[in-house]
Amino acid sequence: MKTNPGRFFEDYRLGETIHHAVPRTISGGERALYHALYPARHAVYSSDEFAHGLGLSTAPVDDLMAFHIVFGKTVPDISLNAIANLGYAEGRWMQPVHVGDTLRSESTVIGLKENSNGKSGVVYVRTKGLNQRDEVVLEYVRWVMVRKNRPDAPAPGAAVPQLAPVVVPEAFVIPRRLHFTRYDFQLAGEPHRLGDYEIGEKIDHVDGVTIEEAEHMMATRLWQNTAKVHFDATFREDGRRLIYGGHVISLARALSFNGLANAQMIVALNAGTHANPCFAGDTVRAWSEVLDKSETSAPGVGALRLRLVAVKHGAPQFALKGADGKYLPEVLLDLDYWALVPV
Amino acid sequence: MKTNPGRFFEDYRLGETIHHAVPRTISGGERALYHALYPARHAVYSSDEFAHGLGLSTAPVDDLMAFHIVFGKTVPDISLNAIANLGYAEGRWMQPVHVGDTLRSESTVIGLKENSNGKSGVVYVRTKGLNQRDEVVLEYVRWVMVRKNRPDAPAPGAAVPQLAPVVVPEAFVIPRRLHFTRYDFQLAGEPHRLGDYEIGEKIDHVDGVTIEEAEHMMATRLWQNTAKVHFDATFREDGRRLIYGGHVISLARALSFNGLANAQMIVALNAGTHANPCFAGDTVRAWSEVLDKSETSAPGVGALRLRLVAVKHGAPQFALKGADGKYLPEVLLDLDYWALVPV
Amino acid sequence: MKTNPGRFFEDYRLGETIHHAVPRTISGGERALYHALYPARHAVYSSDEFAHGLGLSTAPVDDLMAFHIVFGKTVPDISLNAIANLGYAEGRWMQPVHVGDTLRSESTVIGLKENSNGKSGVVYVRTKGLNQRDEVVLEYVRWVMVRKNRPDAPAPGAAVPQLAPVVVPEAFVIPRRLHFTRYDFQLAGEPHRLGDYEIGEKIDHVDGVTIEEAEHMMATRLWQNTAKVHFDATFREDGRRLIYGGHVISLARALSFNGLANAQMIVALNAGTHANPCFAGDTVRAWSEVLDKSETSAPGVGALRLRLVAVKHGAPQFALKGADGKYLPEVLLDLDYWALVPV
């Protein structure tokens, strides 16, 4: 057979590294599309002049765009037969990605655990995105539940990796020469500094966006993510296309501009859960909670640890979990990340 | 509160200048998206070679794209609490915008007048778009009706600016080195020169476009216009998203290629009215009327003053106003502008 | 009348060359949009690094994008009054198109034949796409059935060109310096070489895409194709917008990555039929058949002659024609082309 059936749980080996296909050179076109698909307004990604004023050569592409491009390449090898995308950890952005860079991805299998039903198992991979100079631009761990092809296939021995519950500030890789010493709050859109945010503070980002099929498919295709469920209305029994979880991440992050305009660059991803599926027609809103704050080694640059929650319209304010500890049905995303903020 | 509630009528002061947030660097991506979202075919924006033949360095971005980017930045400060966008005047394009330019916007409050009901007022602003060299690339006056936050807030004294009913040709700023002396009518698509158009002549542009939600939202997002009503289907009681008036302007202007292919560059905006709201599913058509003609100081370059009217499918030909002087319900846009045309 | 009514059958003259309007400069934006609109993953178009490794300067734009841009310019002169797009032949890609190139088109009328009903006729044109150096980047013959304006107009004498049933490998123009001697199969996504494909082999490309109105309209507009039937929901009696046949070609070609990832560049188009109309909401799948194989003069570069068939969801596997020799109603496209493949 010439076509790719995807890998099944029994096809993974602990420690193997998979070199994913189809490198991608990024142009201004991807940046413009990102701005057309999401209400993204963080100034460092929008203006070469603003980025230059922070010590960068030009405006990098949105950190989440880099994430999606790296992630998309892993889909044919990791999640084509996935039942669920279970979580993320230890994500770090190692250097900004600029127009002209060519990205590729590789993933190392760092954990495998068969489910007790014998029909599937959990695969843990550490994925790295590399540029044309073979420098790592970002890395993250994710784990997915993957079907077995043959229920009687022998399962590899269980190995569950120890993952850090949070990326500590000492592990941040701040972009070279980045500083917020001449940060222009007026051009950035809000006056709030690190010191203006309190741990525990919650911010309702107010705005909402109703999603169309064409938009989430164009976004997901742009990342060369090939998962059938996002594109083929005949794939699910209910005739609905499931929206790529990363689309919701980017949408929520963009909405969070309103209240977090100065949370300019994402430096680490601590954890993330796609709590409920999202479909076209849903109106998505977002709220954030300040989980922690930190200084960094770069001049004028602090960091906010933020919980970013995407919800469907109609959710109670700051909706998250019910008394049973489970996510409320209106919650789409619960993301835990660090962003760089002027002190 | 960290999020932006927008300004209310009582928050404006006559003479103040607001520096709008989020500068934007333009790439070929924005240009390609403009061509994907509108049936734009004017050759000067489409081909570097054609533009070079007219004395320009490369093809500038569409003049309306520059307008939308400048306009979009003003929305969070000017029209977030607007009830209606009432009008435009004294618009001038001061120099072409090219790929690589970074635009920002600032608006000066030039007029304020409370409505007699005491619940709202009209704010007049003169907005300038500036590039990375702090040169003005375009400017225009617009006035919007803005809600008051507190009905009892004291209103500033009424001050209504005197606005020119039309930009006179002496005030045009023709792009440096522009000439139409070796204009290629074949590549441009039509043979018609300035002299071929008669004042009073009306042109039915024939073609129609049925608008989709994804298209107008992508366009409006691309301009970083954040007005909720364009994106959030839960915002209006009828569950419909209002289409950004500028989307209709660009659509009508692009449709006007058929009959006005040589009306290459917009040099001034005299007036404009969004006569009725536009929604996804509407099929938009356009017609133009030649209002005036003029020579200019540039070699071979004349100017046509044009009324550009966008209507919904089913409107009577050249539909505009009823016997009562009010716009017919099928009329979406009545725009009055000057464009440069070969003599 | 200032607007373009299009040409009718009686307006064409054998041997005349029509220089089509509106040249177009291509940027990274068009490339990004191509990746957003189609699930395109062939590595040579995606990565400058990969293309450089094959002897090219940078990643060219997708060969079909070049085709669509050249084709789109011909629509106002050739097919505005077309009843049907009947066929293609003798298509050759003469050199890769890169970001920064400016394309224009010209068509020579090589055949004319009135239909027996006297109401229409078939127009054969050889169309060339040229770049800013006046080099031909691609050429093809197509023939369309065009309405007469006046049934009593005298028809030109019948002249039907002799067209090659297939472009022979000796006629291929392989891109200068192209070689597949250090071809990276891992980055390309599949291990299959020329020798791994058998003549007569059929490949079901597995994946499906459900098309949205916004997507096909954005694509078709991007090629500056102005045919009303693609954009105006009021144009057809059934209120449906007909999808540009080229959209289906690009969609099917992109889907064929899964099984033909190494069929990197299109070098010739032998024939093509748009067997049935396609509409938004259709879920499109694709299959291919290996029709022939060949060596080429370039190091490591072979060629596969492929039949690419696009079908609607629900079609029988490898659906093509019925016992009556007619295309099955689920078949959208039957395309015959040559692609370059590593030996």
Side-chain angles (χ1 to χ4, degrees):
Chain A
M1 195 166 76
K2 295 288 198 306
T3 51
N4 175 26
R7 285 169 168 240
F8 295 91
F9 179 66
E10 64 265 34
D11 298 328
Y12 293 93
R13 295 293 168 264
L14 196 66
E16 74 171 321
T17 294
I18 302 166
H19 299 271
H20 306 295
V22 193
R24 170 71 164 274
T25 304
I26 299 167
S27 80
E30 281 80 2
R31 185 156 83 177
L33 270 163
Y34 199 88
H35 279 99
L37 291 164
Y38 307 109
R41 298 183 69 222
H42 287 92
V44 72
Y45 308 123
S46 179
S47 165
D48 284 352
E49 307 293 315
F50 189 91
H52 195 70
L54 306 181
L56 303 172
S57 56
T58 56
V61 300
D62 196 290
D63 296 314
L64 290 175
M65 187 205 296
F67 175 81
H68 296 318
I69 289 176
V70 170
F71 182 102
K73 297 184 193 321
T74 71
V75 168
D77 298 313
I78 305 297
S79 43
L80 213 57
N81 298 310
I83 300 163
N85 198 18
L86 297 173
Y88 306 97
E90 299 186 3
R92 293 193 302 167
W93 278 256
M94 313 295 272
Q95 61 169 288
V97 175
H98 288 91
V99 165
D101 282 353
T102 299
L103 298 188
R104 60 186 177 85
S105 305
E106 55 184 51
S107 298
T108 301
V109 180
I110 62 168
L112 290 167
K113 184 171 190 306
E114 192 175 45
N115 286 326
S116 54
N117 64 12
K119 295 180 180 169
S120 59
V122 179
V123 180
Y124 296 78
V125 292
R126 186 179 304 275
T127 295
K128 294 180 182 188
L130 300 106
N131 66 17
Q132 67 278 14
R133 294 180 297 274
D134 288 330
E135 299 160 342
V136 178
V137 297
L138 65 88
E139 63 174 24
Y140 61 90
V141 171
R142 79 162 164 145
W143 52 107
V144 291
M145 191 186 302
V146 179
R147 261 184 289 276
K148 288 177 76 173
N149 194 25
R150 291 167 295 113
D152 60 337
V160 175
Q162 288 290 328
L163 297 171
V166 62
V167 178
V168 294
E170 293 70 30
F172 294 170
V173 182
I174 310 286
R176 260 194 306 269
R177 286 187 285 279
L178 185 77
H179 63 83
F180 288 168
T181 54
R182 293 194 303 270
Y183 190 92
D184 187 328
F185 289 85
Q186 197 161 46
L187 281 183
E190 290 181 354
H192 320 306
R193 296 163 178 276
L194 185 69
D196 297 323
Y197 292 94
E198 297 301 322
I199 294 174
E201 179 178 353
K202 291 180 181 176
I203 302 162
D204 179 342
H205 298 300
V206 181
D207 303 308
V209 170
T210 309
I211 302 181
E212 297 297 311
E213 300 279 16
E215 293 167 344
H216 77 82
M217 290 201 296
M218 286 183 68
T220 308
R221 256 185 230 117
L222 190 59
W223 322 133
Q224 296 175 314
N225 178 330
T226 58
K228 293 172 181 61
V229 72
H230 307 316
F231 302 106
D232 182 346
T234 71
F235 190 73
R236 285 168 55 100
E237 282 191 9
D238 65 3
R240 299 198 294 179
R241 279 160 278 185
L242 184 69
I243 292 177
Y244 163 50
H247 191 69
V248 178
I249 295 177
S250 277
L251 192 47
R253 161 77 173 154
L255 288 170
S256 79
F257 176 90
N258 198 349
L260 285 166
N262 297 322
Q264 287 285 2
M265 302 187 81
I266 299 181
V267 69
L269 175 63
N270 301 308
T273 301
H274 300 290
N276 283 290
C278 183
F279 299 99
D282 286 348
T283 298
V284 176
R285 301 183 184 285
W287 63 269
S288 293
E289 180 182 359
V290 179
L291 298 178
D292 203 355
K293 298 162 64 170
S294 175
E295 305 280 315
T296 81
S297 58
V301 180
L304 280 179
R305 182 180 166 198
L306 295 160
R307 159 175 279 161
L308 172 62
V309 179
V311 300
K312 284 193 252 192
H313 176 73
Q317 198 179 30
F318 303 126
L320 192 64
K321 294 181 180 176
D324 58 1
K326 293 184 180 165
Y327 285 106
L328 295 175
E330 299 93 345
V331 175
L332 300 170
L333 171 76
D334 181 11
L335 198 79
D336 179 343
Y337 72 105
W338 284 101
L340 301 180
V341 181
V343 295
Chain B
M1 194 166 76
K2 294 288 198 307
T3 52
N4 174 27
R7 283 170 170 240
F8 295 90
F9 179 66
E10 64 264 35
D11 299 328
Y12 293 92
R13 293 293 167 264
L14 196 67
E16 74 171 320
T17 294
I18 302 167
H19 299 270
H20 305 296
V22 192
R24 169 71 164 273
T25 304
I26 298 168
S27 80
E30 281 80 3
R31 185 157 82 176
L33 270 162
Y34 199 88
H35 280 100
L37 291 164
Y38 307 109
R41 299 182 69 222
H42 287 91
V44 72
Y45 310 124
S46 180
S47 164
D48 283 353
E49 306 294 314
F50 189 91
H52 195 70
L54 306 183
L56 303 172
S57 56
T58 56
V61 300
D62 196 290
D63 297 313
L64 291 174
M65 187 204 297
F67 175 82
H68 296 318
I69 290 175
V70 170
F71 182 102
K73 297 184 192 322
T74 71
V75 168
D77 298 314
I78 305 296
S79 43
L80 213 58
N81 298 308
I83 299 163
N85 198 17
L86 298 173
Y88 306 97
E90 299 187 3
R92 292 194 301 167
W93 278 256
M94 313 295 272
Q95 62 170 287
V97 175
H98 288 93
V99 164
D101 283 352
T102 299
L103 299 189
R104 59 187 177 84
S105 305
E106 55 185 49
S107 299
T108 301
V109 179
I110 61 167
L112 289 168
K113 183 171 189 309
E114 192 176 44
N115 287 326
S116 54
N117 63 14
K119 295 180 181 169
S120 59
V122 178
V123 179
Y124 296 78
V125 292
R126 186 180 305 274
T127 295
K128 293 180 183 188
L130 300 105
N131 67 15
Q132 67 278 13
R133 295 180 296 273
D134 287 331
E135 298 160 341
V136 178
V137 298
L138 65 89
E139 62 174 23
Y140 62 90
V141 171
R142 80 161 163 144
W143 51 108
V144 291
M145 192 187 300
V146 179
R147 260 184 290 274
K148 289 176 76 173
N149 194 25
R150 292 166 294 113
D152 61 336
V160 175
Q162 288 290 328
L163 296 171
V166 62
V167 178
V168 293
E170 293 69 31
F172 294 170
V173 181
I174 310 285
R176 258 194 309 268
R177 287 186 285 277
L178 185 76
H179 63 84
F180 287 169
T181 54
R182 293 193 302 272
Y183 191 92
D184 188 329
F185 289 86
Q186 195 162 48
L187 282 182
E190 290 180 356
H192 320 305
R193 297 164 178 275
L194 186 69
D196 297 323
Y197 292 93
E198 298 300 322
I199 293 174
E201 179 177 354
K202 291 181 181 176
I203 302 162
D204 179 342
H205 298 300
V206 182
D207 303 308
V209 169
T210 309
I211 303 180
E212 298 296 312
E213 298 280 16
E215 293 167 345
H216 78 82
M217 291 201 296
M218 287 183 67
T220 308
R221 256 186 229 116
L222 189 59
W223 321 133
Q224 295 176 315
N225 178 330
T226 59
K228 294 171 180 61
V229 72
H230 307 315
F231 302 106
D232 181 346
T234 71
F235 190 74
R236 285 168 56 102
E237 283 191 10
D238 66 3
R240 299 198 294 178
R241 280 160 276 184
L242 184 68
I243 292 176
Y244 163 50
H247 190 69
V248 178
I249 294 177
S250 277
L251 191 48
R253 161 77 174 154
L255 288 169
S256 80
F257 176 90
N258 198 348
L260 285 166
N262 296 322
Q264 287 286 0
M265 303 187 80
I266 299 180
V267 70
L269 175 63
N270 300 308
T273 301
H274 300 290
N276 282 289
C278 183
F279 299 99
D282 286 348
T283 297
V284 176
R285 301 182 185 285
W287 63 271
S288 292
E289 179 182 0
V290 179
L291 298 178
D292 203 354
K293 299 162 64 171
S294 176
E295 305 280 315
T296 81
S297 59
V301 180
L304 280 178
R305 183 180 166 198
L306 296 160
R307 158 174 278 161
L308 173 62
V309 179
V311 300
K312 285 193 252 192
H313 176 73
Q317 198 181 29
F318 304 126
L320 192 65
K321 294 181 179 175
D324 59 0
K326 293 183 179 167
Y327 286 106
L328 294 174
E330 300 92 345
V331 175
L332 300 170
L333 171 75
D334 181 10
L335 198 78
D336 179 344
Y337 73 105
W338 284 100
L340 301 180
V341 181
V343 295
Chain C
M1 195 166 77
K2 294 289 198 306
T3 51
N4 174 25
R7 284 169 170 241
F8 294 90
F9 179 66
E10 64 265 35
D11 299 329
Y12 294 93
R13 293 293 167 265
L14 196 68
E16 74 171 320
T17 293
I18 302 167
H19 299 270
H20 306 295
V22 194
R24 169 70 164 274
T25 304
I26 298 168
S27 81
E30 280 80 2
R31 185 157 82 176
L33 270 162
Y34 199 87
H35 280 100
L37 291 164
Y38 307 109
R41 298 182 71 221
H42 287 91
V44 72
Y45 309 123
S46 180
S47 164
D48 283 353
E49 307 293 315
F50 189 91
H52 195 69
L54 306 182
L56 303 172
S57 56
T58 57
V61 300
D62 196 290
D63 297 314
L64 291 174
M65 186 204 297
F67 174 81
H68 296 317
I69 290 176
V70 170
F71 181 102
K73 296 184 194 322
T74 71
V75 168
D77 297 314
I78 306 296
S79 43
L80 213 58
N81 298 309
I83 299 163
N85 198 16
L86 297 173
Y88 305 98
E90 299 186 3
R92 293 194 301 166
W93 278 256
M94 313 294 273
Q95 63 170 288
V97 175
H98 288 92
V99 165
D101 283 352
T102 299
L103 299 189
R104 59 187 176 84
S105 304
E106 55 184 49
S107 298
T108 301
V109 179
I110 60 167
L112 290 168
K113 184 170 189 308
E114 192 176 45
N115 287 325
S116 54
N117 64 12
K119 294 181 180 170
S120 58
V122 179
V123 180
Y124 297 77
V125 292
R126 187 180 303 275
T127 296
K128 294 181 182 187
L130 300 107
N131 66 16
Q132 67 278 12
R133 295 180 296 275
D134 287 330
E135 299 161 342
V136 178
V137 299
L138 65 89
E139 61 174 24
Y140 61 90
V141 171
R142 80 161 163 145
W143 52 107
V144 291
M145 192 187 300
V146 179
R147 261 184 289 275
K148 288 175 77 173
N149 194 25
R150 292 167 294 115
D152 60 337
V160 175
Q162 287 291 328
L163 296 171
V166 63
V167 178
V168 294
E170 292 70 30
F172 293 170
V173 182
I174 309 286
R176 261 195 306 268
R177 286 186 285 278
L178 185 77
H179 64 83
F180 287 169
T181 53
R182 294 194 301 272
Y183 191 92
D184 188 328
F185 289 87
Q186 197 161 47
L187 282 182
E190 290 181 355
H192 320 306
R193 297 163 178 276
L194 184 70
D196 297 323
Y197 293 93
E198 298 301 323
I199 294 174
E201 180 178 353
K202 291 179 181 177
I203 302 162
D204 180 341
H205 298 301
V206 182
D207 303 307
V209 170
T210 309
I211 303 180
E212 297 296 311
E213 298 280 16
E215 293 167 345
H216 77 82
M217 289 201 296
M218 287 182 68
T220 308
R221 257 186 229 115
L222 190 58
W223 320 133
Q224 295 176 313
N225 178 330
T226 58
K228 295 171 180 61
V229 72
H230 307 316
F231 302 107
D232 181 347
T234 71
F235 190 74
R236 285 168 56 101
E237 283 191 9
D238 66 2
R240 301 198 293 180
R241 278 160 277 184
L242 184 68
I243 292 176
Y244 163 49
H247 191 69
V248 178
I249 295 177
S250 278
L251 192 48
R253 162 76 174 155
L255 287 169
S256 79
F257 176 91
N258 198 349
L260 286 166
N262 297 322
Q264 288 286 2
M265 302 186 81
I266 299 181
V267 69
L269 175 63
N270 300 308
T273 302
H274 300 291
N276 283 290
C278 183
F279 299 99
D282 286 348
T283 298
V284 176
R285 301 182 184 287
W287 62 271
S288 293
E289 179 182 359
V290 178
L291 298 178
D292 203 354
K293 300 162 63 170
S294 175
E295 305 280 316
T296 81
S297 58
V301 179
L304 280 178
R305 183 180 166 198
L306 295 160
R307 159 174 278 160
L308 173 61
V309 179
V311 300
K312 285 194 253 191
H313 176 74
Q317 198 180 30
F318 303 126
L320 192 64
K321 294 180 179 176
D324 58 1
K326 293 183 179 166
Y327 286 106
L328 294 174
E330 300 93 344
V331 175
L332 300 170
L333 172 75
D334 181 11
L335 198 79
D336 179 343
Y337 72 104
W338 284 100
L340 302 180
V341 181
V343 294

